[in-house]
Amino acid sequence: MEAIVAAALSLIALTAAGLGWGIGFRSIGAYLLFWLLSACVVLTAWRVTRRVFPDDTLAGAILRAGTLALAIVVAGEMLLGSLGLLWLVPQVVFFAGIYVASRRLVPPAAPALRIARGAPLLLAGVLAPMVIFVVATGITQSPLTLYDSLSYHLVFPARWLLEHRLSIVPTPFSDEAQAYAPANGELYFLWLMLPFHGDVLARIGQLPFYLLGGVGLYSLARTAGAAPAHAVYPPLFFSFARPIVEQAVGADVDLICCALFLASLVFGVVAADRDQRRDWWLWGAAVGLFCGSKYVALVYLPVVLAFALHRGVSRRAAWALPGILLFAAPWYVRNWLIGGSPIYPASLTVAGVTVAHGAYSRAAMEHSVFHTADVRLFPVVLAHAMGVDLALLWIPAALVGGLAMLASRRRFAGLLAAAPAAMSLLFWFGVPDNVDSRLLVPAAIVALLPFAFVFRANRAWNACVHVALAAGVVWLVVGSSGALPFALPWYMADWLSLRGIVAYGYGRWFVAMELVALGLVWYLARTRRRAALALAGVCAACVVCAAGADRWCAPDRCRFLTPSSISLRSDVVLAWRWVSDHTTHAAIAYAGTNVPYPLFGDHLSNRVYYVNIDRHRDWRFDDYDRAHRRRRANEPAPAQPLAVASGVLLPIDQAQVSQIDAVRPRLARANGLKDAWIENLKARGIDLLFVTALSPYEIDYNWHDAGGFPIEAKWAASDPAAFTLQLENTQVRIYAVHAP
C-alpha cells in the first residue's frame, strides 16, 4: 500500500509541475523538493495509521492519515519557525528525520484494509470533474478568489518565509484580531510555499481538506448506520455546494477547520466506544488542530466534547491532552502572555464574568453591522452557509431523513440529527458576527447527513430517491439565473442567487468529463488497479485542463466555476500588476487597505510592511493597547486625532479615549508625525510606497484627503525630494522612496 501512496505522490508532483510551469514556476528542483517533503509527511502518516489502526476501513484510514499528516506539518513548522529555522535545509532534515524514525520505530502492518466497493468508487468518478474544475480555477485565478487570503492567510506565511521565523504580523485598516488568531492553517500554507518560494500550490491548499471533509461526512453517515450506497450522498452534496467549492479554490482556512471538526466527531465517537489510548490521543490531536485553526472552533467545542464524552469521562481521556496542548495551546498561551486574554484582542467572558481582559469586550464585538438580534435573518444565513440551491433540496430531505435519524436505534444517529440545531444555537448566541455565514458552515455540513437516511426498505421508493438526488446534483451544477424574491439588508444583496457552480459555457465540458470519468470507473471496477489508474487519469485531466486554460481562453482566462466576486477595485489590480512588472527584491510599505499580498510578487521577491506613523517603530497592536490601558481614566482624547475608534461600520461615543470599547480602536493610527514616519521608512529600508484609498470600513474614521487617501499620501505628496510619484489613479498612488 505504501508503494501506491508513493506513486500517487509522484503523480501529484507531476501534476503540480504541469500546472505551475504555465504560470511561471519553472524550477525542477522545487518540484522534486516538494515531492520529497510531501512523501516524508504522507508516508509517515500512512505508516503510523496502518500500524496503530490496522483494522481500519479505507475511509477511516484516509481520515486518520490526513489528520496525522497535518499534525506533522504543523508541529514541524511551529518548532522550526519558533527557532528561526524556516529554511529549506532544516525542513528537509526535520521531515526526512520524521520519516526515517517512522521506518525504524514503526513496523509495517499486515492486515488488509476493509474497502467498501461500488458506491464509494462511483462517488469518486462523479467528483473527478469537479476536482478538475476546482484545480483549474484555483491555479489560474487564485489568489484573487478569496479576500482573506490576500489580507492575511497568505500574507503571514509570506512574511514568515522571508523572515525565516514566526512572528505577529500587524493587520492595520482591518480586523486587529486577524494578527492574533490561531494559525495552524497558515503554518500549512507556509509548508506548501517553502519549496517554491511562492503560492503555486498554496492557491489550492484547501483541496486536500475539500476531499477529507467528504471522507469525514461519509464516515459519520456510516457510523450512524447508513448503507455505503446511501452514505455517499452527504459528501456528494457537500462537494457540489457553492460555499464549499468557493473555499476549495482559494487559500482560506474554513475548509481546513470544517474537515478537522468532522474528524474530531468521528474520532470522538470511536474513542468513546473503544476507550483506548491510541483513540484518545488521535482525538486530542484532531481537537487541538481544530481549535488551533480558528477562534470559532471554541464555539463548537461543546458539540465535539458531547460526542466524545457521551459515555462519561474516562481516565484514559487524559491521553487527549498532549495533542490539545501541542496544537492549540501555543496560540492561546501566547495571546494570554502578551495581551492578557487567550482570545486576544477580545476579552474572555464566562457566564457574564470577565476572567481575562483584552483590548475590547464582547459588547464591542456586537457593535457591528454584521451582528443582529433579528431571528428572521437566521434562515437566510443558514441558506447562504449551505448554498441556497442546496438548501431548497435539503428541506424535504431534512424532514424525511432527519426524522428517520431521530427514530433510529443507533444512538449516534440521534446525536447527529440534533447536532445542527445545537450548533445553530451556539453560533447565534456565541458568535458576535452572527450574520457571517462562513462561521455557520460546520453546522450546515453536519446538517447534510439526513440525505443518507431518506431511503427505505421499498425498492421503488429508493429508486425514485436515487433519481431525485441525482437530479439535485445536476441542479447544483447548472442552477438558474434567478434568485429568491426576498428583501434583505444591503450586505445580503446576492445571498439568495440560484446560479449554478459551473460557469456558463463550460457545462458541456463538465458533462463530457463526467461521462469519461464514469466510463473510467466502470472499466476500473472490473480490474484490480483501479485506484492508481483513476488517480493517474484525474491528474492527467487536471494538467491538460489547467495548463491549457490560458491558451484556450486567451486573451481572457477560463472561468470554469463561478465563485462569488470579492469586489476588488480594477484600479488596485492594475497597480498590483505595475508593481509586479517594475519591482523585484524591493522593500514596499503599504497604507490605506489591508490587502498587501500581491505586493510580495509571484515568487515572494519583495518584502512588504505596514510602517507605523509615530515614533514607536516596532510596536504592534498589543503594545499600543498596553500603553492605552496605562493612561489615566480621565485623560481626554487628542484634540484632532488622525483616526477614531468605531464598531464595524458603526460609530461609537468618542467622549474619553481611555474609556473607548471598540472592536476597531485604531490606536496605532490616532497620532502621527511625518518626520517619525519617514524615519521609520528609512529604518525599514523602504524603496516603494503603495498607498490605497481607504475602504468603506475605514474612510469615515480615518483622516483622508478629497480622494479618500490616508495621511501617508499627503505627507508623500508634500515632500517631492523624498518621494517621487510613479503611478496614480483613482484608487492608488505609488511613490519611489529616496528619503535622505
Side-chain angles (χ1 to χ4, degrees):
M1 194 67 182
E2 288 189 13
I4 295 177
V5 174
L9 291 173
S10 299
L11 286 170
I12 293 170
L14 289 173
T15 302
L19 298 172
W21 211 265
I23 58 174
F25 291 88
R26 299 178 178 177
S27 170
I28 295 177
Y31 295 104
L32 291 175
L33 186 59
F34 165 72
W35 178 86
L36 176 62
L37 292 175
S38 58
C40 290
V41 170
V42 176
L43 288 176
T44 299
W46 185 257
R47 189 177 185 86
V48 172
T49 297
R50 295 296 299 122
R51 180 66 182 92
V52 178
F53 303 95
D55 57 343
D56 216 344
T57 63
L58 178 60
I62 292 173
L63 193 62
R64 286 177 171 83
T67 303
L68 285 174
L70 180 63
I72 293 169
V73 168
V74 169
E77 300 308 313
M78 191 178 293
L79 174 63
L80 297 176
S82 300
L83 297 175
L85 296 176
L86 292 178
W87 305 81
L88 290 178
V89 172
Q91 295 282 316
V92 173
V93 171
F94 178 84
F95 291 110
I98 291 289
Y99 174 68
V100 171
S102 74
R103 295 282 298 182
R104 294 180 66 87
L105 301 177
V106 183
L113 285 167
R114 292 182 287 117
I115 302 175
R117 299 182 180 275
L121 185 61
L122 181 64
L123 173 64
V126 174
L127 289 183
M130 181 56 69
V131 172
I132 293 170
F133 272 36
V134 164
V135 171
T137 301
I139 291 292
T140 59
Q141 295 184 30
S142 280
L144 303 182
T145 53
L146 291 174
Y147 185 90
D148 284 353
S149 64
L150 304 177
S151 179
Y152 65 106
H153 290 312
L154 290 178
V155 174
F156 296 174
R159 279 283 295 273
W160 298 339
L161 188 153
L162 293 173
E163 296 173 354
H164 308 298
R165 67 170 56 250
L166 301 182
S167 62
I168 296 175
V169 181
T171 53
F173 308 105
S174 186
D175 184 0
E176 299 284 4
Q178 294 167 349
Y180 300 89
N184 285 343
E186 286 77 6
L187 291 179
Y188 163 67
F189 291 139
L190 169 67
W191 181 77
L192 289 176
M193 294 167 77
L194 269 162
F196 306 97
H197 218 268
D199 62 12
V200 60
L201 288 184
R203 296 180 179 196
I204 53 170
Q206 289 197 106
L207 180 63
F209 299 93
Y210 173 66
L211 301 175
L212 208 61
V215 174
L217 267 180
Y218 176 82
S219 297
L220 281 177
R222 295 285 290 128
T223 299
H230 305 157
V232 299
Y233 282 105
L236 182 63
F237 284 109
F238 165 85
S239 303
F240 281 82
R242 168 174 289 279
I244 303 303
V245 175
E246 289 181 343
Q247 285 289 320
V249 299
D252 214 329
V253 298
D254 291 279
L255 269 186
I256 297 175
C257 193
C258 289
L260 291 170
F261 172 71
L262 294 172
S264 299
L265 293 185
V266 173
F267 300 159
V269 169
V270 174
D273 272 354
R274 298 198 298 209
D275 196 24
Q276 296 182 9
R277 288 177 293 182
R278 59 176 184 170
D279 297 306
W280 284 116
W281 187 93
L282 185 59
W283 177 74
V287 172
L289 290 168
F290 174 51
C291 294
S293 298
K294 286 179 76 76
Y295 278 140
V296 74
L298 301 178
V299 175
Y300 297 125
L301 193 56
V303 174
V304 174
L305 295 175
F307 274 79
L309 304 178
H310 72 281
R311 290 183 180 274
V313 179
S314 166
R315 286 184 298 176
R316 290 183 178 178
W319 283 91
L321 293 177
I324 296 172
L325 293 176
L326 177 60
F327 299 116
W331 307 110
Y332 296 95
V333 172
R334 177 204 64 182
N335 289 348
W336 207 327
L337 293 176
I338 67 173
S341 170
I343 56 172
Y344 189 80
S347 298
L348 177 62
T349 303
V350 178
V353 178
T354 301
V355 297
H357 288 276
Y360 46 75
S361 67
R362 178 182 174 85
M365 291 187 284
E366 292 179 347
H367 190 71
S368 164
V369 72
F370 299 122
H371 174 80
T372 182
D374 188 352
V375 181
R376 293 174 298 179
L377 291 178
F378 177 77
V380 180
V381 177
L382 177 60
H384 193 245
M386 185 178 290
V388 177
D389 42 5
L390 177 55
L392 295 178
L393 301 173
W394 171 79
I395 292 173
L399 292 174
V400 177
L403 291 175
M405 292 176 70
L406 291 172
S408 173
R409 294 182 179 180
R410 288 182 176 255
R411 60 188 179 281
F412 294 119
L415 274 175
L416 287 170
M423 295 174 69
S424 297
L425 290 174
L426 291 171
F427 165 81
W428 191 253
F429 296 106
V431 177
D433 288 349
N434 58 2
V435 295
D436 188 344
S437 62
R438 290 182 306 116
L439 306 181
L440 188 57
V441 168
I445 291 173
V446 178
L448 297 178
L449 286 170
F451 279 110
F453 294 89
V454 293
F455 298 91
R456 299 292 183 265
N458 187 297
R459 296 181 62 182
W461 167 269
N462 288 350
C464 293
V465 170
H466 280 299
V467 171
L469 295 182
V473 174
V474 175
W475 160 252
L476 297 183
V477 172
V478 300
S480 168
S481 59
L484 298 183
F486 293 99
L488 297 172
W490 60 268
Y491 49 82
M492 296 180 173
D494 62 345
W495 279 24
L496 297 182
S497 171
L498 296 173
R499 65 185 184 278
I501 193 60
V502 173
Y504 179 77
Y506 292 90
R508 288 174 295 179
W509 286 33
F510 190 87
V511 171
M513 290 182 183
E514 195 69 68
L515 293 175
V516 171
L518 292 176
L520 184 64
V521 165
W522 176 82
Y523 171 74
L524 295 176
R526 303 168 65 88
T527 72
R528 295 183 179 181
R529 295 173 294 174
R530 57 184 181 276
L533 288 176
L535 182 60
V538 170
C539 289
C542 287
V543 172
V544 172
C545 191
D550 288 337
R551 297 177 178 85
W552 295 332
C553 303
D556 298 322
R557 289 185 171 181
C558 292
R559 289 185 54 84
F560 299 98
L561 302 174
T562 57
S564 300
S565 172
I566 59 174
S567 302
L568 293 174
R569 301 168 181 175
S570 59
D571 282 346
V572 175
V573 176
L574 291 174
W576 287 338
R577 292 175 182 169
W578 185 94
V579 171
S580 178
D581 294 338
H582 292 84
T583 63
T584 183
H585 303 292
I588 302 175
Y590 72 94
T593 57
N594 198 64
V595 192
Y597 180 70
L599 301 178
F600 284 92
D602 291 338
H603 296 277
L604 307 182
S605 62
N606 299 324
R607 294 174 290 120
V608 182
Y609 306 98
Y610 167 72
V611 176
N612 287 342
I613 60 174
D614 56 22
R615 299 195 184 279
H616 304 300
R617 180 181 304 161
D618 298 320
W619 276 22
R620 304 182 305 252
F621 174 73
D622 56 282
D623 296 306
Y624 286 103
D625 177 38
R626 276 194 301 274
H628 172 74
R629 289 195 233 179
R630 285 195 298 263
R631 293 173 184 168
R632 296 192 306 273
N634 60 352
E635 182 178 347
Q640 291 183 326
L642 294 175
V644 295
S646 78
V648 181
L649 295 176
L650 295 176
I652 65 170
D653 183 12
Q654 304 288 336
Q656 289 186 323
V657 67
S658 59
Q659 296 178 357
I660 289 175
D661 184 22
V663 73
R664 297 205 173 192
R666 300 183 178 86
L667 301 175
R669 302 286 301 174
N671 299 289
L673 295 170
K674 176 185 173 183
D675 292 343
W677 175 64
I678 292 178
E679 286 298 318
N680 294 341
L681 293 174
K682 290 168 59 178
R684 288 282 192 184
I686 298 298
D687 304 302
L688 204 69
L689 173 65
F690 189 95
V691 188
T692 311
L694 293 163
S695 74
Y697 290 85
E698 300 294 317
I699 196 166
D700 291 335
Y701 309 102
N702 279 271
W703 183 97
H704 58 85
D705 63 16
F709 290 89
I711 192 66
E712 287 93 335
K714 177 183 177 181
W715 287 340
S718 67
D719 194 348
F723 300 90
T724 303
L725 186 65
Q726 302 292 303
L727 176 72
E728 180 178 18
N729 59 37
T730 60
Q731 296 296 320
V732 178
R733 295 174 190 169
I734 301 176
Y735 295 88
V737 181
H738 37 85

